[in-house]
Amino acid sequence: MSNPMKVAVIGLGIGRSHIIEGYLPNADRYELAVLCDLNEERLKSVGDEFGVTRRVTSFDKVLAMPDIDIVDICTPPGSHFELVQQALASGKHVVCEKPLVGSLADIDVLMEVEKTARGRLMPIFQYRYGDGVQKAKRIIDAGLAGKAYVATAETHWVRTPEYYAVPWRGKWATELGGVLMTHAIHLHDMLTFLMGPIGGLFGRVATRVNDIEVEDCVSASLVMENGALATISATLGCPEEISRLRLCFENVIFESNNAPYNPGSDPWKINATNPDTAARIDALLEDWTPVPIRFAGQMRDFHDALVNGTPLPVTTADARQALELVTAFYQSSETRQEVRFPVGRESPKYKSWRPA
């Protein structure tokens, strides 16, 4: 593919994964042109690893580079809101790691900025990419699954005190939240990706595993807009790590693999409850083409959307839906009441999630 888009990656922690998993597999679509990080040792190491000669410690310098098409923001969460606005104001396309921002108020500001920006903004939800979840999506969208009944989503990971030795982690001001924001947000996005919007939530949050400001254990009961019921649990105190999504529909039962950091990929259990549905699913998936997993798939589709002017694979509306769930969790846990969706300006947690 001629004239690949030039990318600057900002923040080389998770940014290195974006390079390895997202941009290198799509080398015909992207040129990794600039690296930016405040840590000069890491900047040199990653630059040498990938042969990138343009290395800067200044975000402003990146924005002033006229040949850069895309800015990929992989900095700590507390910086995202300002950096995304600056990048959009400079006319760049923007990719931003989760969590996009730290409140519904902030994402509503970004959605307004986006309306007049020349560049387009794509949040990261790479767990949507894998053959298992994409097959399930095709089956549901084709109407073969039938009525949705119940679902469960379990994010059971482990994070030790050493993980929180990184200064910005575990704090409201810089991490913006706990297991809801930086860990379980992936599987919760997959839940709504397949089951549709949430109608109401009753949830609880607690800090039980580590001595941190933010939550590391949560549970909730949900009712989806379509009437299905769902339960969510997440913890950062489970050494036997899993991410598991199980969806029970009228005609099909779906269950993800249990890989904690790649639950979207095969093998998924896709069990039809009757022979007719089984035959129709087989016919629907007969021409299946494997989907590039995680960042590789999302970055491929982002490029194609930019080139063709088509809808982005993940949008700020998707990110807002994820942050509505987070907002409802914190609000419900404090008030001990169900929160109904959509969650808007009337929510006491609209501007800030910090405990009252």
Side-chain angles (χ1 to χ4, degrees), residues 158-342:
V158 65
R159 294 295 184 269
T160 63
E162 289 73 23
Y163 175 84
Y164 288 105
V166 176
W168 59 265
R169 289 180 177 152
K171 299 179 176 66
W172 286 108
T174 47
E175 196 169 24
L176 307 181
V179 66
L180 280 169
M181 281 289 281
T182 58
H183 307 91
I185 194 170
H186 287 297
L187 203 67
H188 298 168
D189 172 70
M190 289 176 68
L191 174 67
T192 55
F193 182 59
L194 296 176
M195 293 285 280
I198 300 167
L201 176 149
F202 186 94
R204 295 182 185 274
V205 307
T207 306
R208 298 181 57 79
V209 182
N210 286 289
D211 183 18
I212 54 177
E213 293 180 8
V214 295
E215 83 289 344
D216 54 24
C217 294
V218 304
S219 66
S221 171
L222 287 69
V223 59
M224 312 305 287
E225 270 191 11
N226 59 21
L229 304 179
T231 56
I232 285 174
S233 68
T235 181
L236 296 178
C238 183
E240 185 180 349
E241 293 187 311
I242 66 167
S243 296
R244 178 166 52 202
L245 193 62
R246 182 175 170 87
L247 315 172
C248 297
F249 285 76
E250 179 183 7
N251 299 324
V252 190
I253 298 168
F254 302 98
E255 185 171 342
S256 72
N257 74 68
N258 291 347
Y261 306 113
N262 191 20
S265 292
D266 270 338
W268 273 44
K269 295 178 183 177
I270 300 177
N271 297 330
T273 60
N274 58 77
D276 177 63
T277 300
R280 295 173 70 187
I281 289 174
D282 288 343
L284 181 70
L285 301 181
E286 186 176 9
D287 63 346
W288 185 260
T289 301
V291 175
I293 66 171
R294 288 171 46 96
F295 298 117
Q298 187 168 349
M299 298 311 187
R300 177 202 64 180
D301 287 358
F302 181 52
H303 177 275
D304 293 350
L306 294 181
V307 169
N308 299 319
T310 52
L312 297 177
V314 181
T315 67
T316 47
D318 295 323
R320 194 186 195 285
Q321 180 172 253
L323 297 187
E324 278 189 280
L325 184 149
V326 174
T327 305
F329 244 112
Y330 291 138
Q331 180 179 331
S332 179
S333 186
E334 280 196 7
T335 63
R336 297 292 190 265
Q337 295 179 351
E338 182 185 32
V339 176
R340 300 297 300 179
F341 287 61

Side-chain angles (χ1 to χ4, degrees), residues 16 18-28 30 32 49-50:
R16 183 174 176 274
H18 284 210
I19 294 167
I20 294 171
E21 296 184 43
Y23 296 119
L24 295 187
N26 289 294
D28 58 332
Y30 298 104
L32 181 60
E49 180 179 6
F50 299 111

